[in-house]
């Protein structure tokens, strides 16, 4: 796959501020069975250009945290600032691009039209849109499928379209909720490598929710490990594998990578010890902060 | 005619199973509120009726020669209170005549009985057809278009024929009665949503479930009982509700057509005679028909409550 | 004593055999052509007064409804006798119904065309270009016949189907509505005239009587299966016995209109009291005074109706019938016999001095 | 080829078998016309009366069409309002439930008085009301099918209400709306036809069915019924065609 | 979690035969777009008690192969024998248990009733069924959820119920199609360890379809690597990590495990080289046969 020029976005207000700054965040859902505390005392800062993964057992609130950052959900207490502005403002400013667990493509639009959707909503002209979608589809390796409809694509391909769509407006922050969960291992690894490159090239900060330890380790500058409900941040693992943009497939067979994987695993097991029945595994080294 | 589109038509119409998109917060306070709002809605229509009757011109609103809004004369739109008061008066001056609302209730009860029977017949036939179509693909492709086509037949035209043919029948000691003709006609309307809905329901289990049962070497019958029938409940219930409404409508239409004594349909015929001199009176059977239909739909809703185990994951209606 | 069947029966309907002298009552079913009402007063009176029972008959009176065709019920064998209008039956006969008019109960047509006094519709010729109502169901033939007398066709008028009620007329949608003297005409007279605040009065209305126009066709007649009359043992006797009772019934209705109206109401009619009485009274006027004795029609009158049926075209260009009905369609021997029998008892079957009563209609007919 | 063998052939064969059985039954048992006319007789009658059938179908068809269009527009419009304003939805729920169970036979006489017996409006209103219910219910259901992920997406894009409606809500509802229209299509014909039984200008299929039945001319009555079936089928197929055109790509 | 006694099934006919023997198998689907060859020249033997994983890119025919073994699909050419009998016979004999990508639970049955479904269909008495489901739910850690309904469970829990169901009749062969695809990494690893133990204890052979290289390596005696469509077996990696039943979480941080992972990855990349755009990664050792 060729490297595509993805120019950095023009400077915007608050460029000096961290991409994401979450302080003292709690989130309690009120359901018919009573309140559920999903998140408790979350403090998190993601620097501009930084790649941070959120990992933790199912139901620990990873998606909730991401959705609060995206202003799709309001925090119960605490503050969220995105590039120095409030989360709602950041949403209105289109400061981030987002991709979900499900691809969430519009079945009645072609692949290209799906990628162009955010541009269309924000009044970008037809030609510019087409140029951008062509560029992005090449990036995700789906150039031949521009005119297809989502249901003619495999689940993995659909997810790649969703990623292309999230990149459409050259956001400086990418919010991704298990975007590779549906991909097969090979494609997944390839997409990881691509994402690493893209995030570096665009200079976008990424908050990346995943279940996969190796994925988190491979992609991230830092891996934030969360505990089971109510979700708290138990550990943050700095992978120390060098600039994200320079990570290639070779890294996957590098002992440093295994070390990072082991560190994340340890963090996870430690964080949920006593909650789930299984204790942590045997020892291993890792740069837990 | 596409198989997909025909098969889906009614079941979708009648709200197939909704995605598990439960918003639990809504449900608790909802019931009382919905009831209240519903009553308010009915009230609002009443107010609208009277307001339009008061404000609207006698001859209605005519635009370019077409009457867009109805006339407001007492004959066309009697006052609601006149209708209500009339309900509490005897049907006629004759001695021993029932109060109008009592007579209406009696007629509704009679029609409900016939409609219930029609519903049972329609559901049985519909289910049988659905099973046949599910079992044999050829049967499905051969029958389904006709099932759809059957609903383009104006049943009112069939009523006298059914009575004629029915009178030719005599099943041993049981002779053909007019109410049976009414039931046949009403079940003709009732069977359709069930056939289509049940077929869709019987086909609704995921391929994976069918595979699973196949891996257990389960027989067709076992698969039907354990998988297909339970899975079809969410499709079946709306179909049953529709069938109930259709059974009521069919009953009333056939009663009018055949002149079967005792029901709402007959009441419509009879009261039409005094529609001019006593306009509120002819509204009684209309309200009777509405109550009847709502009652029938309510009964199916109760059935749905009994089967709620099979409707998990359905959005609360 | 008075039973009206709501439609159910043993399904064979052919129980009417044998005379009444073996002590056991002969089962007879009579199909009306509409709901229970004063139009059929004579039959209910015969039932109530035990005239049928006296003849050894147990008669079940079967109502009909919106779309029931009495002569078809007869052809199907559901009933033994049916009341139906001659022109409608002529059509059925052409379609293969093998039935016979055994008694032409109504001598006159009860059909009117009613319009508002200020409508300017006073003759059939005035129909041209106006909105003319008819029920359909075969009731339109008298209009068509009248039109063709005036060299008009259906295309010259705007023919509107009337509902079960007279609201279309009262709202002005129908300028000249079809109305039976005994029913719909009264419905109008039971309605408040918004201009006067009182009930509509006959002066408020223009009435065209088809008897006067000359296009009247024969209406309520009693029909029976031709085959059974000819071949079934005892059926002819039963028929005569039945007709005797019917004659007595109608005579009773003539002489006791108020009582008869009550009889009909208690037989299950929901019509209002004044309306019922009006209907009974007006029905009497269609029968009495009788020219030849009740039920007896002369060949010329019959032929007149047949001729109209042969010639009159409807809007699709078809005539009611294309060939004259067989001679068996009319057979007056049974009614003649019955008349003779009851006259011997001293019954007045002519009603020469018949005087209709005055009926005061109240609002809604109630 | 394959489609013909699998989709078209079986129903046609079944139809032929049934018709043949009917014809044989009538012929063999010498069933009189007045009880059950034979298919051949109905066909003969139909062929002889094609122009009349056609003009009658035109009258009924036009009423059905007007009812279909007006009823559908109202149904979709009300559903849009009900979907966006919860109070409105709650207020109208029992009314729609009631509307769904009113028999045409009860409604028609009332509507004739309200709208006039000399014009086709009442029939069109009857057709429109019968159309309204399924279209409204289906549209409302369709409008509620929006997937949470799409809703999130629209919010993330800070899309306006109208944009969300245009890009996500309506397209999601589209198949449901068309389902409603498909059901409504043949329903509108029946409703318009039945309404003719209770009054209004002559000339439609309904009035001719009653006129023929009154004279025991069942072969002709059936030929009018046949015409009404064909009319209903045409409406259905037209709705199907519009749907195929509008929903060029039907997501699986 | 306690160890549960899962007795080996009684001996049946053909006990000496391999669990699965596939020879010269081709599978072509006829679709409206013409024929699709899904599998080509598959030869595969799975010994009794052996744990074999199938891995390969999406659409390579893993599921199809599994379904053919289960007699849910008929081969176009070639032969399939299960414990020496034909595949249809094996299905009728209930020689295997099966679990799919989706849990496929029946929503109107409680968790326990779902587990008991196959027993119920085969006439096992109520008490015996209840005893078995209690045992199995303990095995998968869902004892507290026996009376719940599937929609009250997370996706992961549902999948665990499905696995319990597959084990209900103590099959000597387990067919599993990405059963852990929906689980989060921690649960997934725990389930892997459990499955390793269960398969060893029951002595059941397992044919296990997965996308995850590490999962395949951790669980299997042999990993069968398949090529993109038409699916062929390109490599078979013998993991050489000792008896499956003795594999514990410690193994995950063992260099031999990383070697096995690398070997499978190499095999995968080699197998699909020239088909997908990405070439194989850098070198690594592995016991490719
Ligand atoms: N809208 C909501 N209403 C009520 N509870 C909710 C809502 N959304 C999430 N929750 C609850 O909050 C908790 C956290 O959910 P969340 O989806 O954030 O977890 P997660 O870490 O993303 O899980 P997974 O890995 O399975 O995606 C869960 O217990 C969930 O049930
Ligand atoms: N019933 C079917 N009809 C037609 N084609 C099919 C059918 N089942 C599978 N295929 C095709 O066969 C090929 C193999 O499919 P299969 O599901 O076995 O792949 P897989 O390896 O399991 O993929 P995944 O990893 O995505 O589950 C695919 O190209 C698929 O499209
Ligand atoms: C459906 C239907 N509606 C009205 C009439 C009109 N009509 C003609 S004779 C008669 C009985 C005397 O009132 C009546 C009501 C009908 N025949 N059928
Ligand atoms: Mg999540
Ligand atoms: Mg698969």
């Amino acid at each position: 796959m060729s490297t595509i020029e993805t120019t950095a976005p023009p400077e915007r207000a608050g460029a000096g501020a961290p991409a994401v700054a979450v302080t003292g965040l709690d989130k309690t859902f009120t359901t018919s069975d009573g309140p559920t505390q999903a998140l408790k005392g979350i403090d998190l800062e993601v620097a501009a250009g930084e790649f941070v993964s959120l990992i933790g057992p199912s139901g620990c609130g990873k998606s909730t945290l991401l959705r609060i950052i995206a202003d799709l959900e309001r925090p119960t207490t605490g503050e969220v600032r995105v590039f120095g502005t409030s989360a709602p403002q950041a949403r209105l400013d289109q400061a981030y691009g987002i991709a979900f667990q499900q691809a969430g493509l519009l079945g009645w639009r072609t692949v290209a039209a799906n990628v162009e959707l955010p541009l269309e909503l924000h009044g970008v002209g037809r030609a510019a849109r087409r140029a951008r979608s062509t560029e992005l589809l090449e990036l995700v390796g789906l150039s031949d499928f521009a005119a297809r409809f989502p249901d003619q694509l495999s689940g993995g391909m659909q997810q790649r379209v969703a990623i292309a769509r999230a990149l459409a407006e050259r956001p400086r922050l990418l919010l991704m909720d298990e975007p590779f969960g549906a991909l097969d291992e090979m494609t997944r690894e390839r997409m990881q490598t691509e994402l690493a490159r893209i995030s570096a090239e665009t200079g976008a900060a990424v908050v990346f929710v995943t279940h996969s330890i190796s994925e988190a380790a491979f992609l991230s500058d830092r891996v934030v490990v969360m505990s089971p409900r109510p979700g708290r941040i138990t550990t943050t693992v700095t992978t120390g594998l060098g600039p994200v943009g320079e990570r290639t497939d070779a890294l996957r067979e590098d002992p440093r990578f295994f070390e990072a994987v082991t560190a994340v695993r340890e963090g996870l097991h430690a964080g949920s010890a006593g909650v789930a029945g299984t204790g942590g595994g045997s020892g291993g080294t890792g740069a837990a902060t | 005619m596409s198989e997909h589109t025909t098969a889906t038509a009614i079941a979708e119409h009648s709200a197939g199973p909704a995605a598990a998109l439960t918003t639990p917060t809504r449900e608790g306070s909802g019931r009382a509120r919905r009831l209240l709002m519903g009553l308010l809605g009915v009230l609002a229509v009443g107010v609208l009726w009277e307001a339009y009757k008061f404000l609207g011109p006698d001859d209605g609103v005519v635009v370019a020669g077409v009457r867009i809004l109805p006339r407001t004369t007492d004959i066309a739109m009697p006052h609601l209170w006149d209708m209500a008061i009339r309900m509490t008066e005897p049907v006629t001056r004759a001695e021993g005549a029932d109060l109008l609302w009592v007579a209406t209730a009696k007629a509704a009860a009679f029609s409900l009985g016939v409609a219930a029977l029609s519903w049972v017949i329609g559901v049985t036939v519909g289910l049988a057809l659905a099973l046949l179509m599910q079992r044999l693909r050829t049967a499905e492709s051969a029958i389904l278009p006709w099932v759809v086509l059957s609903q383009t037949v104006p049943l009112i035209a069939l009523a006298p024929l059914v009575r004629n043919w029915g009178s030719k029948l005599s099943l041993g000691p049981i002779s053909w009665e007019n109410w049976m003709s009414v039931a046949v006609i009403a079940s003709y309307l009732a069977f359709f949503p069930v056939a289509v809905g049940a077929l869709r329901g019987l086909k609704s289990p995921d391929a994976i479930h069918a595979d699973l049962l196949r891996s257990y070497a389960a027989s067709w019958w076992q698969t039907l009982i354990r998988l297909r029938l339970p899975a079809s409940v969410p499709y079946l219930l709306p179909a049953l509700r529709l069938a109930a409404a259709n059974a009521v409508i069919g009953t009333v239409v056939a009663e009018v057509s055949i002149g079967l004594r005792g029901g709402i349909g007959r009441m419509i015929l009879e009261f039409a005679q005094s529609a001019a001199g006593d306009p509120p009176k002819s509204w009684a059977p209309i309200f009777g028909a509405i109550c009847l239909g709502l009652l029938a739909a309510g009964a199916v809703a109760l059935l749905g409550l009994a089967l709620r185990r099979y409707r998990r994951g359905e959005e609360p209606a | 004593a008075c039973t009206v069947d709501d439609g159910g029966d043993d399904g064979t309907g052919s129980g009417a055999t044998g005379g009444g002298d073996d002590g056991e009552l002969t089962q007879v079913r009579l199909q009306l052509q509409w709901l229970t009402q004063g139009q059929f007063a004579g039959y209910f009176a015969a039932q109530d007064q035990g005239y049928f029972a006296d003849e050894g008959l147990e008669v079940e009176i079967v109502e009909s409804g919106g779309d029931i065709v009495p002569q078809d019920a007869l052809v199907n064998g559901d009933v033994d006798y049916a009341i139906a209008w001659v022109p409608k039956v002529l059509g059925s006969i052409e379609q293969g119904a093998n039935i016979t008019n055994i008694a032409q109960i109504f001598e006159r047509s009860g059909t009117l065309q009613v319009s508002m006094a200020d409508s300017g519709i006073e003759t059939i010729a005035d129909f041209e270009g106006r909105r003319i109502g008819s029920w359909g169901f075969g009731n339109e033939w008298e209009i068509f016949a009248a039109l063709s007398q005036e060299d008009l066709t259906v295309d010259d008028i705007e023919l509107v189907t009337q509902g079960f009620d007279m609201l279309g007329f009262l709202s002005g949608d129908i300028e000249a509505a079809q109305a039976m003297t005994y029913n719909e005409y009264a419905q109008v007279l039971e309605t408040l005239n918004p201009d006067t605040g009182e009930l509509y009065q006959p002066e408020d209305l223009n009435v065209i009587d088809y008897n006067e126009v000359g296009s009247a066709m024969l209406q309520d007649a009693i029909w029976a299966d031709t085959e059974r009359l000819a071949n079934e043992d005892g059926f002819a006797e039963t028929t005569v016995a039945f007709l005797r009772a019917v004659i007595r019934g109608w005579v009773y209705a003539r002489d006791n209109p108020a009582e008869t109206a009550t009889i009909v109401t208690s037989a299950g009619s929901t019509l209002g009291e004044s309306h019922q009485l009006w209907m009974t009274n007006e029905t009497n006027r269609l029968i009495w005074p009788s020219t030849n004795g009740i039920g007896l029609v002369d060949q010329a009158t019959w032929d007149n109706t047949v001729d109209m049926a042969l010639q009159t075209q409807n809007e699709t260009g078809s005539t009611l019938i294309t060939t004259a009905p067989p001679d068996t369609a009319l057979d007056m021997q049974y009614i003649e016999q019955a008349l003779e029998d009851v006259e011997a008892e001293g019954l007045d079957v002519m009603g020469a001095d018949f005087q209709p009563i005055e009926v005061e209609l109240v609002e809604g007919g109630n | 080829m394959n489609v013909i063998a699998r989709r078209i052939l079986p129903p046609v064969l079944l139809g032929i078998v049934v018709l043949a059985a009917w014809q044989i039954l009538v012929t063999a048992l010498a069933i009189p016309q007045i009880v059950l006319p034979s298919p051949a007789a109905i066909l003969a009658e139909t062929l002889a009366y094609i122009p009349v059938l056609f003009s009658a179908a035109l009258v009924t068809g036009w009423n059905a069409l007007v009812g279909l269009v007006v009823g559908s527009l109202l149904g979709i419009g009300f559903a849009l309002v009900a979907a966006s304003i919860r109070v409105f939805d709650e207020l109208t729920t029992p009314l729609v439930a009631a509307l769904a169970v009113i028999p045409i036979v009860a409604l028609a006489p009332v509507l004739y008085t309200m709208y006039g017996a000399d014009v086709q409006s009442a029939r069109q209103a009857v057709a429109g009301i019968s159309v309204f219910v399924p279209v409204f219910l289906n549209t409302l259901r369709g409008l509620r099918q929006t997937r949470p992920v799409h809703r999130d997406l629209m919010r993330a894009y800070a899309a306006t209400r109208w944009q969300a409606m245009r890009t996500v809500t309506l397209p999601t509802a589209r198949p449901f709306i068309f389902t409603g229209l498909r059901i409504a299509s043949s329903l509108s014909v029946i409703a318009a036809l039945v309404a003719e039984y209770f009054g209004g200008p002559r000339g439609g299929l309904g009035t001719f069915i009653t006129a023929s039945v009154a004279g025991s001319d069942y072969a002709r009555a059936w030929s009018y019924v046949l015409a009404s079936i064909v009319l209903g089928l045409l409406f259905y197929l037209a709705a199907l065609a519009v749907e195929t055109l509008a929903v060029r790509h039907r997501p699986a």
Side-chain angles (χ1 to χ4, degrees), chain D residues 136-177:
Chain D
F136 173 83
L137 289 177
N138 272 286
T139 305
L140 190 57
R141 195 163 119 75
L143 291 173
R144 296 197 167 135
Q145 300 298 311
T146 312
R147 289 169 51 200
V149 61
H150 288 156
R151 219 178 289 137
D152 284 349
L153 213 54
M154 285 299 119
R155 193 169 147 83
Y157 294 148
T160 62
R161 235 177 130 86
W162 167 237
Q163 281 180 321
M165 177 63 82
R166 199 169 45 84
T167 45
V168 169
T169 317
L170 268 182
T172 305
R174 192 158 46 195
F176 291 83
I177 298 174

Side-chain angles (χ1 to χ4, degrees), chain C residues 67 69 71-72 75-76 88 91-92 95-97 131 134-138 140 144 158-165 167-168 171-174 314-320, chain D residues 32-35 45 49 52 105 109-110 112-119 123 196-203 207-208 210-220 224:
Chain C
D67 303 327
V69 183
Q71 62 269 31
D72 286 354
V75 170
N76 278 318
K88 300 188 200 182
S92 301
Q95 293 303 319
R131 297 186 298 273
S134 167
W135 295 295
F137 297 96
E140 61 275 31
F144 295 150
E158 201 181 315
L159 198 57
V160 180
T161 304
Q162 286 176 217
F164 301 118
D165 50 54
L167 296 176
S171 313
D173 307 330
I174 295 169
N314 69 4
E315 66 264 60
T316 68
S318 46
T319 52
L320 186 44
Chain D
Q33 171 94 339
I34 194 165
V35 175
E45 204 72 28
Y49 276 83
V52 175
V105 290
V110 172
Y112 276 115
T113 333
M114 286 167 63
Y115 280 96
D118 60 327
V119 286
R123 293 168 179 172
E196 289 174 27
Y197 272 58
F198 301 90
R202 267 171 81 90
T207 39
F208 287 144
T210 62
S212 311
V213 169
S216 307
D217 197 346
Y218 288 104
R220 190 166 311 162
Y224 285 116

Side-chain angles (χ1 to χ4, degrees), chain B residues 50 91 98 126 152 158 162 177 203 205 256 267 272 288:
Chain B
E50 289 297 339
V91 180
D98 277 329
T152 65
L158 292 185
V162 170
E177 310 261 349
K203 289 169 132 193
V256 168
M267 205 170 205

Side-chain angles (χ1 to χ4, degrees), chain B residues 256-257 269 273, chain C residues 33-35 37 39-40 65-68 85 88 111 134-139 162-165 178-180 182-184 187 219-220 275 279, chain D residues 197-198 210:
Chain B
V256 168
S257 202
L269 271 186
Q273 309 251 29
Chain C
Q33 62 152 334
W34 193 243
L35 311 179
Q37 58 180 6
Q39 181 189 359
F40 312 108
D67 303 327
I68 295 304
W85 288 13
K88 300 188 200 182
T111 313
S134 167
W135 295 295
F137 297 96
N139 294 297
Q162 286 176 217
F164 301 118
D165 50 54
Q178 221 171 22
M180 303 310 294
Y182 46 81
N183 190 4
E184 288 79 6
Q187 286 180 30
Q219 299 188 339
D220 293 28
H275 190 87
M279 188 182 283
Chain D
Y197 272 58
F198 301 90
T210 62

Side-chain angles (χ1 to χ4, degrees), chain D residues 25-187:
Chain D
L25 188 82
V26 170
T27 318
L29 301 181
I31 295 177
Q33 171 94 339
I34 194 165
V35 175
L36 182 64
S38 71
I42 296 170
L43 190 70
E45 204 72 28
T46 307
L47 293 179
Y49 276 83
I50 279 188
V52 175
L53 290 176
F54 188 78
S55 75
L58 219 56
V59 170
T60 306
W62 175 251
N63 290 337
L65 188 65
V66 172
L68 184 60
V69 170
V70 174
S72 301
L73 288 179
L74 285 178
I76 294 171
F78 272 66
L80 282 173
V81 179
S84 31
I85 305 172
R86 193 177 145 203
V87 173
F88 184 82
D89 176 34
E90 288 171 335
L91 285 174
T92 49
T93 302
L95 300 173
V96 173
L99 209 54
V101 296
I102 302 185
I104 297 167
V105 290
L107 210 57
V110 172
L111 285 173
Y112 276 115
T113 333
M114 286 167 63
Y115 280 96
D118 60 327
V119 286
Q120 304 282 5
S121 322
R123 293 168 179 172
Q124 292 160 355
V126 168
I129 287 173
S130 351
V131 164
F132 174 85
V133 174
V135 172
F136 173 83
L137 289 177
N138 272 286
T139 305
L140 190 57
R141 195 163 119 75
L143 291 173
R144 296 197 167 135
Q145 300 298 311
T146 312
R147 289 169 51 200
V149 61
H150 288 156
R151 219 178 289 137
D152 284 349
L153 213 54
M154 285 299 119
R155 193 169 147 83
Y157 294 148
T160 62
R161 235 177 130 86
W162 167 237
Q163 281 180 321
M165 177 63 82
R166 199 169 45 84
T167 45
V168 169
T169 317
L170 268 182
T172 305
R174 192 158 46 195
F176 291 83
I177 298 174
F178 278 109
T179 300
L181 290 179
R182 222 179 321 122
I183 296 160
S185 59
S186 41
L187 207 58

Side-chain angles (χ1 to χ4, degrees), chain B residues 44-82:
Chain B
V45 168
V47 170
L48 214 65
W49 176 277
E50 289 297 339
Y52 174 68
K53 184 172 163 52
F54 184 70
L55 297 172
D58 261 9
D59 202 39
V61 177
V62 180
V63 176
V66 179
R67 189 170 285 115
I68 303 292
L69 291 174
R71 296 175 168 135
T72 57
T73 56
D74 281 345
I75 287 182
M77 293 178 69
H79 281 294
L80 292 173
W81 49 84
D82 284 338

Side-chain angles (χ1 to χ4, degrees), chain B residues 206-218 222-223 225-228 230-232 309-313:
Chain B
D206 294 338
I208 188 179
H209 287 133
D211 280 351
L212 197 67
L213 274 279
R214 188 172 145 82
S215 84
Y216 298 148
Q222 280 180 316
T223 311
I225 297 294
R226 308 270 176 207
L227 177 63
R228 296 198 184 276
S232 67
R309 155 192 283 255
Y310 299 99
R311 307 167 58 203
R312 303 186 64 87

